Amino acid sequence: MFFFIAAIGILTLAAAACGISALLRPASPAFHLVPKFGSLAIAAGCAFGLASLCFGWNAQESCGMPWGLPFGSFRIGLDPLSRIFLIPVFGLGLVCAFSGRIAFRHEDSREHSLGIHWMFYALLILGMALVMTSRDLILFLISWEIMSVSPFFLIDFDDEKAAVRRASWIYLTAAHLGAVFLIAFFALLWQASGSTSFTDLSQFEPGPVLKMVLAALSLIGFGAKAGLFPMHVWLPEAHPAAPSHVSALLSGAMINAGLYGLLRSLDFLGASLPIWSGWILLGLGLTTALCGIFKASAQSNLKKMLAYSSVENMGIMLIGAACGLIGSLSGNISIAVLGMSASLFHMLNHAVFKGLLFLCAGEVLHAAGTVRMDLLGGLQKQMPLVSGLFLIGSMSIACLPPFNGFCGELVLALTMVQGSELPGVGQQIGLLGALIGVALVGGMAVVTFVKAYGSVFQGMPRSSFAENLEEHGGLLTVWPLLIPAALCVFGGLYAEAPFHLTKGAVMQLIPLGAAQLAEAEVSLSVVSEALRYVSWFGVLLIVVVAVLSVVRWLLVRGRVQSGAVWGCGYQYGTSRIQYTDISFVNPASWVFSPLMGLKRKEHLAGREALFPAGETCEIEAEDRLRMRLYAPLFERIADVAERLKILQHGRIHLYILYILATVVVLLIWGLHE
């Protein structure tokens, strides 16, 4: 625990120093120096955090101290489940701190308070770390609030833009609506068990009705943070508005807190959950994954596309966890352990490639000034290093070998194939049918990221944004991105290592007897063997491609001349004859248009005239759930709140009358009792 406590201390001091520096006068040297070194202090804290995970991976440690409150306690602990979720927190926190420091190298501290920014960045990492390690529900809720409030200020970095302010308020509203359900969840647990300790809560067995209420509150509260359907609407608003290193941390680490909470809450709900609860989770996960990937495929904004992709990947993680729960409740140990392993394995992989993709999108935004795919194109020639890194991330998230994303979804597929061993034809058909849905999600992921890479990096520049790029520093500015890119490759070529990390957490989530433990070991070893073969295939594939590339270079060296290709007799091609991002996915929209939410707007000008004027066609991909459900709902709430302002009129004598009326009502109610 020493290194972990040291990490918490460093992050706390970094947040305090950055916050104090923001209060100084702009003429003070500390006003400018502290934020620059603050990011390095945060990186050091994350490094200590990663070091704390290297000792006693499967051990359970805890420590506590008095904190003066009349209830609860400051008790934190490290166990296998906490450790595996802390890897993205500290790992991405480290990479994004370096990336953000480079991105802000030209920012004026007087225009944007960098001290405040790094203070809330440190608080975000601190909040996530404490959420994963809290062993008391009061401390958990306080940590959850720190983690939830900090992103509001990080997202609102460019607060002079109305769209950014709107996105930050949408995030804050969603975060606190979820927190309301979590407060109710823990309040009921506290009231029923009489304790705030996680150890006592895990030994408490709630009644059947209370258990269902608790399960519903947990699913809504933690599901809102994870971005599960239909509570996902804040992700595509918040992530595009935030600085890219913040988007990477939110998507790769913070939303994992929702999955962590769901898995941790299984300890509090007892072992006798009904089997249909697992199928509800499976249906919700599949719906989330399908909704996320179809919405992602329709986006023209690169960062918004990545945000919807995060929704899809959270759905994949929930599918794995649901398979594990179904297997555990059905008595199928193999499906239970492999399902949970697939969920945690994919969580690690997603943190790596999604962090890489968001950071690449940040480099594109810095160089071109936009992430609208219909305005980009041809960046591969001007930004070859970023192009290559984005390609690695795209192949990983599209689950193509030999990268880590393929290995993660392979484990999930191997789990779901065993659905035929479940008791009952309905369960067998259900799990195998869900496998078809996962395959559809994977196919659409390939389409989505082929579109993204082709629209942004290949072809001809579609606008002046892509033609007139700002000077790019090359390796000196993108070196932090090499870390997740290398992990994408390593996770595919040596997938056994990250898969093995999930074992301790899985055994913690699914308590097993001696005979069941042996069966689980066999299942895990079989999948580990399959991953070893996949790794060998990946190495062989890389060697073959490298050899063929060298042979080709030797054969054509000095013999090839470059020139324009034959263009069917048309000599004056322009960027307008290229595929656009929307036209690329147009065939898919013929079938899945309702799910993609595409809306066509045609602007006609004098079509019936002898010489018709120009016509334009715009295609938008609105989130119908947000526009048709949440927007009218919150507008109605705002209208009611506006009408209730009549109660707040500033007349003190009427306020006193309200108090007296309340006292009278309470007295009458007390006499009635």
Side-chain angles (χ1 to χ4, degrees), residues 43-68:
C46 291
F48 270 85
L50 288 174
S52 71
L53 306 180
C54 299
F55 303 99
W57 179 257
N58 292 324
Q60 300 207 18
E61 306 172 88
S62 66
C63 66
M65 59 180 289
W67 64 350

Side-chain angles (χ1 to χ4, degrees), residues 99-118:
S99 181
R101 187 174 189 271
I102 295 172
F104 288 160
R105 65 191 183 278
H106 298 310
E107 286 285 346
D108 187 349
S109 297
R110 289 167 294 187
E111 182 179 349
H112 292 105
S113 180
L114 298 184
I116 292 294
H117 176 83
W118 289 116

